[in-house]
Amino acid sequence: MNLNGKVAYITGGSKGIGYGTAKILLAAGMKVAISGRTLKSVQEAAKSLGNESNVLALESDVTKHEDENKAVAEIINKWGQLDVVLANAGVGNFAPIDQMTEKEWHDMINTNLNGVFHTLKASVEALKKSEGYYITLASLAGTNFFENGAGYNATKFGVVGFTQAAMLDLRKYGIKVSTIMPGSVATHFNDHTPSEKDAWKIQPEDIGELVLDLLKMNPRTLPSKIEVRPTRPDLK
């Protein structure tokens, strides 16, 4: 894919992996739309990315199909095409299953699982036209279960299965579909504040570089599921 002038849409793009990926794609010559639930925070992120003519800030709650439809329509209206989608928005609530509330469970299902469906449904026709790329951000929690992670595991196992099946459905249209499954990443996820103590972790821009590598790969080849983890664990 010749990336210069291509258009990407990143959900959950105001910070963390979404923001880091936006920086990398912009530097590669792409135009990038980022979305989040709060327009002010997305606008602030878009401003800090610079190059305002190539950045679009969108308010969208991925749990609502109509929001994602509107977001994609705004992208098409502004730039006339959509080539790459990174379904990155996600939440995590961690507790023993007997203590997890229904709200915590449904928040994760609605954002992590329903969200990737809504984003794909909203963008799939545009991606057919561009023979584009749809990428979901899953997790190593999508293949490795752990204590206090029943809800999160359920959503990320679901994202992996959804993405792999969608890949089989959509490749006949020339659409490439992949899921990225990171381990520990230095982000604000689960109310964490990144610091120097997170230097051993994957950095958000590292995932952005991985996305860029996928986009640059020969179109005959599709890495459909990618596990990525820190090279060395926290040595403390």
Side-chain angles (χ1 to χ4, degrees):
M1 183 181 289
N2 181 358
L3 301 181
N4 192 45
K6 296 293 187 181
V7 176
Y9 173 39
I10 301 173
T11 67
S14 64
K15 58 186 177 180
I17 290 172
Y19 181 85
T21 302
K23 286 173 61 177
I24 297 297
L25 298 187
L26 284 166
M30 297 184 68
K31 300 173 182 178
V32 180
I34 58 173
S35 71
R37 293 184 180 184
T38 306
L39 184 59
K40 182 179 178 181
S41 65
V42 183
Q43 288 174 331
E44 290 173 352
K47 185 176 181 179
S48 70
L49 286 168
N51 200 351
E52 293 184 11
S53 64
N54 287 338
V55 182
L56 177 62
L58 300 168
E59 182 177 18
S60 181
D61 180 348
V62 298
T63 69
K64 300 175 181 178
H65 192 192
E66 59 271 22
D67 277 19
E68 285 297 272
N69 281 336
K70 181 180 177 182
V72 170
E74 289 188 47
I75 295 167
I76 300 298
N77 183 61
K78 181 174 179 63
W79 288 317
Q81 65 192 72
L82 179 57
D83 304 285
V84 178
V85 176
L86 177 63
N88 166 73
V91 297
N93 298 311
F94 302 96
I97 194 61
D98 57 316
Q99 298 177 28
M100 180 170 289
T101 67
E102 285 191 45
K103 182 181 184 305
E104 290 172 332
W105 171 270
H106 287 294
D107 281 349
M108 286 188 288
I109 294 291
N110 287 334
T111 301
N112 300 354
L113 193 52
N114 291 345
V116 299
F117 170 73
H118 293 155
T119 302
L120 179 56
K121 287 292 286 184
S123 62
V124 68
E125 295 304 320
L127 292 175
K128 286 180 182 179
K129 292 178 181 178
S130 64
E131 294 191 351
Y133 213 136
Y134 184 78
I135 302 169
T136 62
L137 221 297
S139 168
L140 289 182
T143 191
N144 303 312
F145 53 85
F146 55 89
E147 189 175 10
N148 298 332
Y152 191 68
N153 283 144
T155 62
K156 292 305 184 178
F157 270 71
V159 169
V160 172
F162 169 83
T163 310
Q164 295 291 276
M167 177 268 295
L168 297 176
D169 289 341
L170 298 177
R171 60 183 177 174
K172 62 178 173 284
Y173 300 109
I175 299 174
K176 299 176 76 172
V177 180
S178 300
T179 188
I180 299 174
M181 305 167 64
S184 299
V185 184
T187 71
H188 294 83
F189 185 73
N190 201 31
D191 297 323
H192 175 73
T193 300
S195 69
E196 292 181 1
K197 294 180 180 179
D198 296 306
W200 63 275
K201 296 179 179 179
I202 299 166
Q203 300 301 306
E205 291 79 9
D206 299 340
I207 302 298
E209 293 284 358
L210 181 54
V211 171
L212 190 61
D213 288 341
L214 287 174
L215 300 182
K216 289 183 175 181
M217 184 161 287
N218 192 298
R220 66 173 172 253
T221 302
L222 177 62
S224 57
K225 182 171 68 173
I226 303 164
E227 294 188 7
V228 56
R229 48 180 53 80
T231 302
R232 300 178 66 183
D234 182 10
L235 302 178
K236 297 181 180 178

